[in-house]
Amino acid sequence: MSSLPAAIEVYPVHHLPILKAYADQLGLVSLINHYVPTERNVDAGTVVLGLVLDTLSGRSPLYRLEEFCAQQDTELLLGKALPPHALNDDTVGRVLDRLYDFGTMRLFTACAVRAATRLSLERRYVHFDTTSRSVWGEYQCAETQDLPFQVTYGYSKDKRPDLKQFVLSTLCVDRAVAIWGKPEEGNASDKTLNATVLSEIAQLLAHYGVQRGAYIYIAAAALVTEDNLAALGDTLFITRLPATYSACGRVITEAVAHNHWEEVGVLAQTPPTQHRPGTFYKVAEGEVTLYGKAYRAVVVHSSSQDQRRQKHLARELQASYATLEATVREATQQEYFCHADAEAAAAKLRAQQSAYHEVEVRVEERPKYGPGRPSSKQPRVVKALRYGLQVTLRERAEVIARKTQETGCFVLLTNVPTAGEMAHRAGDVLRAYKEQHGIEQNFSFLKDPLIVNSLFLKKPERIEALGLVLLLALLLWRLVERTLRGHVETTETPLPGWDKKATHKPTAFMMMTKFAAVMVIKVGLQRQLTHPLSTVQQQYLQALGVPATYFPAPQSGSRDADGKSRSQTSPG
């Protein structure tokens, strides 16, 4: 009777070898170790790689790295065989402290610069935005304590005003690839954060080989303050002009009145459906002057109108009608002894028009008859003649149509020129601004409870170091998605998407689901997949440039600090 192997181990590797391949391409482990050397058994780079893979595994909570590694083939995913207890909370905590001591943003910038250089990221547009991240715990630190930021109460974008929070600000290029990020005070204002970034952005982008005047800074409406506009100087920018500025309403009114629009069409990259029809855009050029300086104002009309502004217009229409209706009701109850008095009252009532309604008034005779039942054989005898008003309220159709069109408009403020190397037409300004939604998708990634459950590290320094892990995970995730879409655009060949339908816009999450069933069997030192990779999985690997050997065979992925590989295989 033949004996069974001493040990058979099965590991659900899913999509993680792909992310390991991209970490190897950036030389993530060696880069971290170059800047943060350690004498301990487990190097800082391996701990960071483990945290990044844990972040992108879809499990929670993130901080229990030991539990994650207990279910994984560490040699396959981390490049070296490590027992789970080697990555316990104490080890992770010490590494997070070392990352903070060196400088988390210095480390992330080094990784992002390498990604930008090796993958030729588009750096013409630089997007900035912020989000809040709620935390559990008191975080009662002395005010005199030197902290990287204060965890405190503030405006909660998580809709959790009962929890303390910190704010995370990020800069992205190539639509959604983060190149800079920083945790800020929990009650920090977006207006103030814009000013801080503007003071550093030129120096930051110089690391990426981008000179002043060769990029456009794109941010939300909080950018528009007197101090921020002054701080921008000659920096090219695109932002949204807040509706609180009177110039915003004026330039919209002018654009609708002139009716000289440039059709832009549908900008959405996903095909429209019956329940989600495509949004059509058109633009018109204008000009506004803010704080003594003139700017281009691009008025944008969207066929998918702003629901909040539509409701505001509906309330105005209702209030307009209700006000006039009360006046009209009182006027129609009045009677006049002579026709001249009735006409005078009618003229006065016609002047009671509102912004959205007009009053139509007609003088009518109201005869008064004598007592008794009317005879069927002869007409009733009129004893006296009185006059009254018959009133009709009509909507001012042209005005309402114009106002309705104005509710579908917003204004983009910019100083981007119309001629020269950085020239943008009005439609180009809109297209560049609409890419801002990419960075907003990043925020949903960072706040996803399946990726990061509840942050309750008790030291703000470790939260900042954990922020580095989140940004590195986000960097890899977006690089994967960027590569997928670049392959589709270059080859003009779609990839299998949801419900076996072909897609020209594959996502990293879509890729993750395709590899959800991938498992590795390990018998002694030998490994093999439980099932061969499917045709769909092979298509994705080809698009990503990842060798299939990353699944059954450990890859050291060793790279020098300058990014030169010493590995047999690498993606790309």
Side-chain angles (χ1 to χ4, degrees), residues 125 127 175 218 238 262-269 281-283 298 300 410 412 424-437:
Y125 302 108
H127 298 263
R175 194 183 77 89
I218 303 176
I238 299 173
E262 172 191 341
E263 298 289 340
V264 177
V266 178
L267 297 182
Q269 297 174 336
Y281 293 94
K282 56 185 180 180
V283 294
V298 177
V300 182
F410 60 92
L412 297 179
H424 281 60
R425 297 180 60 185
D428 299 327
V429 172
L430 172 62
R431 292 184 185 92
Y433 181 78
K434 290 295 288 182
E435 291 300 322
Q436 185 78 355
H437 75 88

Side-chain angles (χ1 to χ4, degrees), residues 309-325:
R309 297 180 65 190
Q310 275 192 315
K311 291 179 180 179
H312 179 71
L313 176 60
R315 288 195 297 269
E316 287 186 341
L317 288 171
Q318 185 177 8
S320 168
Y321 182 86
T323 300
L324 284 180
E325 197 272 338

Side-chain angles (χ1 to χ4, degrees), residues 224-271:
V224 185
T225 68
E226 184 175 7
D227 291 341
N228 287 346
L229 292 176
L232 281 164
D234 57 355
T235 300
L236 301 180
F237 72 91
I238 299 173
T239 187
R240 183 164 176 166
L241 180 62
T244 52
Y245 283 79
S246 60
C248 180
R250 176 187 60 79
V251 75
I252 289 176
T253 300
E254 292 175 355
V256 172
H258 294 159
N259 200 30
H260 295 154
W261 299 97
E262 172 191 341
E263 298 289 340
V264 177
V266 178
L267 297 182
Q269 297 174 336
T270 54

